[in-house]
Amino acid sequence: QVQLVESGGGLVRPGGSLTLSCQASGLSANAMGWYRQAPGKQRELVATFASGGSTLSADSVKGRFTISRDNAKNTLYLQMNSLKPEDTAVYYCMEVLERIYWGQGTQVTVSS
């Protein structure tokens, strides 16, 4: 059974940093990454690994967020720096196998 468990969310001041983790039952060789959903908005791509290992990031987070993975630990990470209030959202880990799997989400709130 595929399980994705996010952690690391919380409340942080603007300009601060957080690192999100996604513990997976196994890391997909296909797409795997992070999405987010703010209140009243659609879920949107943050950063992903595509098949072949290339990465894709939203323009809004380029230069601030970094996606990485530790295959030995079956863990996906999202390092978030220079956080802004508009980064406030529930962040979801996703993995593509025979279908798309989602974690339960972790709340990130950026506020002074």
Side-chain angles (χ1 to χ4, degrees), residues 2 7 23 36 38 41 49 52 57 69 81 83 89 94-95:
V2 176
S7 62
Q23 180 68 53
R36 68 185 180 187
K41 295 187 177 181
F49 282 102
S57 299
R69 58 195 289 170
N81 299 324
L83 283 159
M94 61 79 73
E95 181 174 32

Side-chain angles (χ1 to χ4, degrees), residues 62-82:
K62 284 181 179 177
R64 301 188 298 123
F65 292 10
T66 302
I67 188 172
S68 63
R69 58 195 289 170
D70 185 332
N71 292 335
K73 296 182 178 180
N74 288 337
T75 303
L76 186 71
Y77 300 99
L78 184 69
Q79 174 66 45
M80 305 186 294
N81 299 324
S82 302

Side-chain angles (χ1 to χ4, degrees), residues 3-7 20-25 27 32-34 73-78 92-95 103:
Q3 286 191 320
L4 300 171
V5 180
E6 301 100 332
S7 62
L20 304 183
S21 300
C22 174
Q23 180 68 53
S25 50
L27 296 190
M32 188 169 190
W34 295 93
K73 296 182 178 180
N74 288 337
T75 303
L76 186 71
Y77 300 99
L78 184 69
Y92 296 92
C93 176
M94 61 79 73
E95 181 174 32

Side-chain angles (χ1 to χ4, degrees), residues 11-50:
L11 173 64
V12 63
R13 295 185 183 276
S17 299
L18 282 175
T19 300
L20 304 183
S21 300
C22 174
Q23 180 68 53
S25 50
L27 296 190
S28 173
N30 300 319
M32 188 169 190
W34 295 93
Y35 280 67
R36 68 185 180 187
Q37 188 167 17
K41 295 187 177 181
Q42 290 188 331
R43 193 170 298 189
E44 63 177 5
L45 167 75
V46 178
T48 66
F49 282 102

Side-chain angles (χ1 to χ4, degrees), residues 9-10 20 35-39 41-42 44 46 80 84-92 105-110:
L20 304 183
Y35 280 67
R36 68 185 180 187
Q37 188 167 17
K41 295 187 177 181
Q42 290 188 331
E44 63 177 5
V46 178
M80 305 186 294
K84 305 175 180 180
E86 52 263 43
D87 295 318
T88 295
V90 178
Y91 284 70
Y92 296 92
T106 185
Q107 176 70 46
V108 172
T109 302
V110 185

